[in-house]
Amino acid sequence: MGATIFSRIIDKSIPADIIHEDDLCVAFRDANPQAPVHFLVVPRKPIARLADLEAVDAALIGHIYMVIAQLARQENVADAYRVVVNSGADAGQSVFHLHFHVLGGRTFSWPPG
Ligand code: AMP
């Protein structure tokens, strides 16, 4: 997988508003927020799409969901937030390094557009 803007955020070669990092993932605020709280959780491992997950990634994804729950509490949106993964261009994916959008602080409608 080629370098993406997220791999450059992870290696700190470009700046981002990082709110969490550990040995498996990094979380930072989205540059074009779609809600009062909107951050991205990104595995350090350069997986392109959710569709590319392998069995070996199961623990990583479990860890990311635990980080999401922790950060939702930290950002005061634990009562209502939405987690979105766009997998593939037709689903709205624009950066091909797996990332979990976490949005909160407003009411969301369903179905999404
Ligand atoms: P997606 O369309 O699901 O691939 O989401 C990509 C997200 O990355 C969008 O919400 C963008 O606003 C966000 N984004 C792109 N570049 C940056 C950046 N340098 N820092 C923070 N967020 C970014």
Side-chain angles (χ1 to χ4, degrees):
M1 196 184 103
T4 67
I5 194 153
F6 290 171
S7 58
R8 293 198 284 275
I9 287 172
I10 291 166
D11 71 17
K12 306 266 176 79
S13 60
I14 66 167
D17 187 356
I18 292 174
I19 60 172
H20 172 89
E21 55 185 324
D22 60 40
D23 54 338
L24 294 178
C25 67
V26 176
F28 51 90
R29 297 192 193 284
D30 196 290
N32 182 24
Q34 302 301 311
V37 173
H38 184 180
F39 59 87
L40 305 172
V41 184
V42 181
R44 291 186 186 277
K45 181 178 176 181
I47 301 163
R49 305 172 304 165
L50 194 69
D52 298 315
L53 284 181
E54 298 172 346
V56 69
D57 300 316
L60 168 64
I61 300 309
H63 174 77
I64 284 175
Y65 271 99
M66 295 306 296
V67 167
I68 288 170
Q70 173 200 320
L71 292 177
R73 289 191 293 272
Q74 183 178 306
E75 296 290 317
N76 297 309
V77 296
D79 282 347
Y81 60 98
R82 183 171 285 182
V83 180
V84 174
V85 179
N86 299 319
S87 184
D90 283 351
Q93 187 172 7
S94 61
V95 179
F96 285 79
H97 183 135
L98 175 63
H99 51 285
F100 294 72
H101 294 259
V102 184
L103 303 113
R106 67 170 171 85
T107 300
F108 297 98
S109 59
W110 192 264

